[in-house]
Amino acid sequence: MKLREFAKQLGLSPTTVSRALSGYPEVSEVTRARVAEEAVRLGYRPNVNAVRLKTGRAGAIGVVMGRAGEFHFAEFMAGMAERLLTEDTDILVIPMADPDHNDEMQLYRRLVESQRVDAIIVHSPRPNDERIALLHKLGMPFLVHGRSDIDVPHAWLDIDNEGAVRRATSHLIDLGHTRIAMINGRPGATYALHRDKGYREALQSRGIELDPQLIASGNFTDELGFRFARSLLEQSNPPTAIVAGSMMTALGVYRAVRSLGLQVGREVSVIAHDDVFPYLTADNMAPSLSATRSSMRAAGTRCADLVLQLVSGRSPLDIHELWPVELILRESTAPVQR
Amino acid sequence: MKLREFAKQLGLSPTTVSRALSGYPEVSEVTRARVAEEAVRLGYRPNVNAVRLKTGRAGAIGVVMGRAGEFHFAEFMAGMAERLLTEDTDILVIPMADPDHNDEMQLYRRLVESQRVDAIIVHSPRPNDERIALLHKLGMPFLVHGRSDIDVPHAWLDIDNEGAVRRATSHLIDLGHTRIAMINGRPGATYALHRDKGYREALQSRGIELDPQLIASGNFTDELGFRFARSLLEQSNPPTAIVAGSMMTALGVYRAVRSLGLQVGREVSVIAHDDVFPYLTADNMAPSLSATRSSMRAAGTRCADLVLQLVSGRSPLDIHELWPVELILRESTAPVQR
DNA sequence: CTCAAATTTGAAAACGATTTGGTTGGAAAA
DNA sequence: TTTTCCAACCAAATCGTTTTCAAATTTGAG
């Protein structure tokens, strides 16, 4: 059913019908009601492509998905979806070609030029992120999930990674730990730098010298957690505590500790960061896992919200949200054994 | 840059340019080359919305995302993305409103009517799935990821859940186990029925009577695995083996076993189904986890491929792929202890 | 009761591509 | 030489909306 047809059935012009449905003021309430009602009854629905062509709006916001298939991606998306449910806006998932650099720039450029999205969400930005510069230059609205130091105005939402790790580390120091290992994310992303900073600051402020051997970084897999923890704990001067970075690495760390006949929450304390997954909870681990917590799903919801505001004209200049992170203490952290 | 403008710069008509770029035969090779080259140089790119309006193609395939934020969703998507990278097709993620029934039908209906997608992938179908009937009725191309008994012709791709669980269970029986518990997915979905069937058949063919107490079902969370395994193992007549359903429930089961001072691969054997995640591998669990394995990512890739074929006219009638599942034996399965 | 102002409605021109149904000029066939 | 055919190109219609500008209708003041 097309507009023409539908309008004819109502004995109205396409103009009026279009206006009635899009909520313009210059149509009487009585006809608006009638149009709305009949639209449902006869099943009229504007052709989305025609609308988009005419209005120039794409009706979608783009999310570039890395190749790694990060496990928190689904949660973030679910959060976005929740917010966009009532909106007439889609989520467009754009696969990232290669981790290759030029290619990624090409990807963003093409995405903008093809006008398939009204805005883009940029994940895991780097301190000096070309994507941000590019999007800004191209005039595409975008929201950065994470932070960047780049000298280009942009909207962002991030969690306080630095503070989270600082508090986690400090707490371990409070418990008497001095050899504290740390598993970070892939080097390059700002959040990894922030975590590193939080870790260093906590140590430094308590006069503990940093041992570079105690730091690892890479994708948040259980394997990384296992290998690193295991190799450290086998050494002569093992750490007594580990800041594990993510739920998956924490699983690996737990396994490593057990495999050596040690016990988490006794010989080794562990704190991880918990993005809050429905299928794997810190509370349920054994022993329950102390964690810095921040809901990835909530972040997705809020990001969607902010992007909608961005699209409808809000300036990116004053969109800067830094979410605090809670530290929840459970059984995996305990005073250092002597 | 619009087509008009671009064509004028080349001294050609929009017609010829359009044809040159879309690979029509009635344009000379030399002009085609020139057009292609200049398009890159001047940065001309057809407006996607105009193309879609004119051709009636949406250039996107829809995937409805459940609210649960299942952890395998990201992998499936990553797989799809891989295939669609070179194609000019987007993935549209549609949030599912409520698990409420009517709403879901509404969702699909609206999705089809709004013409935002060229095809839809339906996940976790039920034996008699109204969504399938609806999509068929509405004439929207779709691919079912999973199977349905519904009496409507449709394309599908599924893994052999029944065979996988049958083999897993049989193997446990071969090892001497007779009390074998089973954790299934949410009741209702066909795959859960298939798994149940595989389980029952394996038992029956070996003359083992089924104990309904040994079966659980629900979302694949570590919590479910833990609670169920724990409660069973505390009983007077505990199972000696558990078919754990998923990696996450397997984690819970492992925890439960350990929490009771028992050992996986000794007092209790465990087999799970592994969708192959980069961040959590069966091989890395301790003890390493015997698993039926089938790559979710590969399924995503293939589904994308099939959907593309569907869109370009291939009949759904002969698209039926049943993927075999490998059973990989590791340390978590061992002969029953006596 | 008139006339201007305010409220509703419509006709037609976009939006930016694709595609139908021609032209055109030159080579091959008669 | 004339006719036929083909390759290469183009003008204009079209996809289904939104929106500008103008017309018709109603309202309210004088």
Side-chain angles (χ1 to χ4, degrees):
Chain A
M1 165 97 53
K2 322 181 177 187
L3 177 56
R4 281 290 265 283
E5 211 179 322
F6 178 56
K8 190 165 290 176
Q9 297 228 6
L10 290 187
L12 287 172
S13 77
T15 313
T16 307
V17 172
S18 170
R19 278 177 176 146
L21 290 176
S22 337
Y24 276 61
E26 57 259 275
V27 54
S28 78
E29 270 317 315
V30 41
T31 46
R32 182 194 307 288
R34 189 162 70 96
V35 170
E37 188 186 331
E38 291 290 286
V40 172
R41 198 174 66 81
L42 299 177
Y44 168 71
R45 189 163 278 287
N47 177 303
V48 92
N49 291 319
V51 173
R52 287 173 180 176
L53 171 58
K54 184 56 197 175
T55 61
R57 247 173 277 129
I61 77 184
V63 181
V64 175
M65 182 173 61
R67 281 178 104 56
E70 294 91 359
F71 50 90
H72 46 248
F73 187 72
E75 276 298 294
F76 186 86
M77 295 271 294
M80 285 185 66
E82 214 159 282
R83 175 63 183 85
L84 296 178
L85 199 57
T86 54
E87 231 65 28
D88 199 18
T89 303
D90 300 323
I91 302 173
L92 208 61
V93 175
I94 299 106
M96 193 166 90
D98 265 286
D100 178 332
H101 193 254
N102 274 335
D103 258 29
E104 194 180 352
M105 282 302 140
Q106 265 320 95
L107 179 71
Y108 278 86
R109 186 180 290 276
R110 282 211 307 251
L111 179 57
V112 170
E113 279 169 358
S114 70
Q115 302 171 49
R116 284 177 302 176
V117 297
D118 294 319
I120 294 177
I121 293 184
V122 174
H123 281 283
S124 301
R126 292 174 290 278
N128 189 324
D129 202 305
E130 292 183 65
R131 297 174 296 177
I132 297 177
L134 178 68
L135 291 175
H136 177 73
K137 197 183 82 182
L138 296 176
M140 162 69 57
F142 65 99
L143 173 74
V144 177
H145 180 215
R147 258 174 297 171
S148 173
D149 295 332
I150 198 168
D151 187 23
V152 159
H154 62 275
W156 55 263
L157 181 152
D158 195 9
I159 62 172
D160 184 10
N161 279 295
E162 181 185 326
V165 173
R166 191 192 306 116
R167 279 176 61 196
T169 310
S170 284
H171 177 252
L172 290 169
I173 298 173
D174 288 342
L175 291 173
H177 298 275
T178 54
R179 280 191 68 72
I180 303 172
M182 149 94 162
I183 303 179
N184 208 336
R186 290 202 73 83
T190 312
Y191 82 89
L193 289 176
H194 285 167
R195 290 188 178 190
D196 190 67
K197 195 164 166 219
Y199 173 69
R200 285 168 194 268
E201 280 178 4
L203 292 184
Q204 198 179 359
S205 75
R206 306 293 277 272
I208 299 173
E209 200 172 341
L210 180 128
D211 180 354
Q213 299 256 334
L214 294 181
I215 301 182
S217 48
N219 285 333
F220 286 133
T221 65
D222 76 324
E223 187 168 1
L224 173 62
F226 178 75
R227 284 191 195 283
F228 184 58
R230 170 104 194 184
S231 79
L232 286 183
L233 293 172
E234 278 173 332
Q235 287 176 11
S236 55
N237 187 12
T240 58
I242 302 181
V243 178
S246 84
M247 293 295 283
M248 290 301 160
T249 46
L251 284 176
V253 169
Y254 268 49
R255 184 156 49 90
V257 172
R258 276 197 309 267
S259 75
L260 294 169
L262 305 174
Q263 216 172 311
V264 169
R266 296 189 58 171
E267 288 88 353
V268 184
S269 285
V270 178
I271 299 186
H273 180 73
D274 179 8
D275 288 310
V276 190
F277 305 108
Y279 46 84
L280 182 62
T281 60
D283 228 351
N284 280 337
M285 291 174 65
S288 62
L289 173 67
S290 296
T292 53
R293 182 172 69 180
S294 184
S295 163
M296 194 50 116
R297 185 178 284 246
T301 303
R302 181 62 176 156
C303 281
D305 198 34
L306 290 172
V307 163
L308 288 175
Q309 296 183 25
L310 226 41
V311 168
S312 58
R314 177 169 174 194
S315 160
L317 296 176
D318 56 346
I319 297 185
H320 306 306
E321 289 195 9
L322 183 60
W323 287 15
V325 173
E326 2 175 34
L327 172 61
I328 298 178
L329 298 177
R330 299 195 185 84
E331 300 164 348
S332 68
T333 40
V336 68
Q337 292 200 320
R338 33 182 29 262
Chain B
M1 163 99 53
K2 322 180 176 187
L3 176 58
R4 280 292 263 282
E5 210 179 323
F6 177 56
K8 189 164 290 178
Q9 297 229 7
L10 291 186
L12 287 172
S13 78
T15 311
T16 307
V17 172
S18 170
R19 281 183 173 141
L21 291 175
S22 329
Y24 277 62
E26 55 261 277
V27 54
S28 79
E29 271 317 315
V30 41
T31 46
R32 183 194 307 287
R34 190 163 70 95
V35 169
E37 187 185 334
E38 291 290 285
V40 173
R41 198 173 66 80
L42 299 177
Y44 168 71
R45 190 164 276 288
N47 178 303
V48 92
N49 291 320
V51 172
R52 288 174 180 176
L53 171 57
K54 181 57 195 174
T55 62
R57 248 172 277 128
I61 79 186
V63 181
V64 175
M65 182 173 61
R67 283 179 101 56
E70 293 91 359
F71 51 90
H72 45 248
F73 187 72
E75 276 298 295
F76 186 87
M77 294 273 294
M80 285 186 67
E82 215 159 283
R83 175 64 183 84
L84 296 178
L85 200 57
T86 54
E87 230 66 26
D88 202 17
T89 303
D90 301 321
I91 302 172
L92 209 60
V93 175
I94 298 104
M96 192 167 90
D98 265 285
D100 176 333
H101 194 254
N102 273 336
D103 258 30
E104 194 180 350
M105 282 302 141
Q106 265 319 96
L107 179 72
Y108 279 85
R109 186 179 289 277
R110 282 211 309 250
L111 180 57
V112 170
E113 280 169 357
S114 70
Q115 301 173 49
R116 283 177 304 178
V117 296
D118 295 319
I120 293 178
I121 293 184
V122 173
H123 282 282
S124 300
R126 293 174 290 278
N128 189 324
D129 202 306
E130 291 183 64
R131 296 173 297 176
I132 296 177
L134 178 67
L135 291 175
H136 178 73
K137 198 184 81 182
L138 297 176
M140 161 69 56
F142 65 99
L143 173 73
V144 177
H145 180 216
R147 257 174 299 171
S148 174
D149 294 331
I150 197 166
D151 186 23
V152 158
H154 61 275
W156 56 262
L157 181 153
D158 195 9
I159 63 172
D160 184 11
N161 280 294
E162 182 184 326
V165 172
R166 190 192 308 116
R167 279 177 61 196
T169 310
S170 284
H171 177 252
L172 291 170
I173 297 174
D174 288 342
L175 291 173
H177 297 275
T178 54
R179 282 190 66 73
I180 302 172
M182 149 94 159
I183 303 178
N184 208 337
R186 291 201 72 83
T190 312
Y191 82 89
L193 289 177
H194 284 166
R195 290 188 178 191
D196 191 66
K197 194 164 167 220
Y199 172 70
R200 284 167 194 269
E201 281 179 3
L203 293 185
Q204 197 179 359
S205 75
R206 305 295 275 273
I208 299 174
E209 199 172 342
L210 180 127
D211 180 353
Q213 297 257 335
L214 293 181
I215 301 182
S217 48
N219 286 334
F220 285 133
T221 65
D222 76 323
E223 187 168 1
L224 173 63
F226 177 75
R227 283 191 197 284
F228 183 58
R230 171 105 194 184
S231 79
L232 286 182
L233 293 173
E234 278 173 333
Q235 287 175 13
S236 54
N237 187 12
T240 59
I242 302 180
V243 178
S246 84
M247 293 295 284
M248 292 299 161
T249 46
L251 285 176
V253 168
Y254 269 48
R255 186 155 48 88
V257 172
R258 276 197 309 267
S259 76
L260 293 169
L262 305 175
Q263 216 172 310
V264 169
R266 296 188 59 171
E267 289 87 354
V268 183
S269 285
V270 178
I271 299 187
H273 181 73
D274 180 8
D275 289 310
V276 190
F277 305 108
Y279 46 82
L280 181 63
T281 60
D283 227 349
N284 280 337
M285 291 174 65
S288 63
L289 173 68
S290 296
T292 53
R293 182 172 69 179
S294 183
S295 163
M296 194 50 115
R297 185 179 285 245
T301 303
R302 182 60 176 158
C303 281
D305 198 34
L306 291 173
V307 162
L308 288 175
Q309 295 182 25
L310 226 39
V311 168
S312 58
R314 178 169 174 194
S315 160
L317 295 177
D318 56 347
I319 297 185
H320 306 306
E321 289 196 9
L322 183 60
W323 287 16
V325 174
E326 3 175 34
L327 171 61
I328 298 178
L329 297 176
R330 299 196 185 84
E331 299 164 350
S332 67
T333 40
V336 68
Q337 292 202 319
R338 34 182 30 263

